[in-house]
Amino acid sequence: MEDSKNLTSAADGTPKVTGIGGIFFFSDNPKETKDWYAKNLGVEINAWGSVSFDSRNLNNPDEVETLQWSPFKKGDEYFAPSKKEFMINYRVQNLEALLEKLKENGVTILDEVATYDFGKFIHIMDAEGNKIELWEPK
């Protein structure tokens, strides 16, 4: 049985992660990797060169949420300063308040909040040296 508290907690404005916004990883040949996934698993590459997996928000079924998937050329600086082979984008709510909490907790903040038509982004490092992208959709 589902806990109804979990279904409503995402809408309360608490600064936190609400889902996965993207999965990014290194590849020796991103084009061949994308082609393989398209040919063998039927994924469709979008205009940004990634794959969009859409789902519905449990708290607001009219809202479509998207998870981006994309291989990057091995060594791409977008993952720096992390030395890891992957980066996860977490969808968040109340990014500014979350950022204040992270600063109070001594988390390494890598850049400033960047705002685009599709939301706000910032990058942090976790305790294991993984670069994390935080995204608050519009």
Side-chain angles (χ1 to χ4, degrees):
M1 186 161 142
E2 294 211 26
D3 180 355
S4 61
K5 181 180 179 202
N6 288 338
L7 291 176
T8 59
S9 64
D12 68 7
T14 302
K16 64 182 177 184
V17 168
T18 61
I20 303 293
I23 300 171
F24 311 113
F25 58 95
F26 282 149
S27 169
D28 290 326
N29 189 323
K31 181 176 180 346
E32 285 182 12
T33 300
K34 291 174 190 179
D35 290 346
W36 186 93
Y37 275 85
K39 177 182 175 183
N40 294 292
L41 298 178
V43 299
E44 295 183 26
I45 307 301
N46 64 27
W48 295 316
S50 65
V51 175
S52 296
F53 295 102
D54 295 330
S55 60
R56 296 281 176 186
N57 180 330
L58 285 176
N59 298 310
N60 181 5
D62 291 334
E63 181 181 326
V64 175
E65 296 180 339
T66 300
L67 181 142
Q68 296 296 311
W69 171 96
S70 185
F72 281 71
K73 180 71 177 161
K74 189 172 275 187
D76 191 298
E77 288 300 310
Y78 192 62
F79 290 30
S82 177
K83 303 293 185 210
K84 305 295 175 101
E85 298 277 322
F86 66 92
M87 182 175 67
I88 297 175
N89 167 300
Y90 290 101
R91 191 171 37 251
V92 303
Q93 64 185 19
N94 201 347
L95 181 62
E96 282 79 12
L98 181 58
L99 187 55
E100 290 306 313
K101 178 181 177 180
L102 295 172
K103 287 177 183 176
E104 289 172 9
N105 290 339
V107 173
T108 300
I109 311 296
L110 297 174
D111 47 20
E112 300 294 321
V113 174
T115 304
Y116 302 95
D117 291 342
F118 43 89
K120 300 177 197 174
F121 293 83
I122 194 158
H123 297 94
I124 65 172
M125 296 293 282
D126 75 6
E128 293 288 322
N130 298 303
K131 183 177 181 180
I132 296 171
E133 187 171 64
L134 301 177
W135 167 48
E136 182 175 32
K138 276 212 164 179

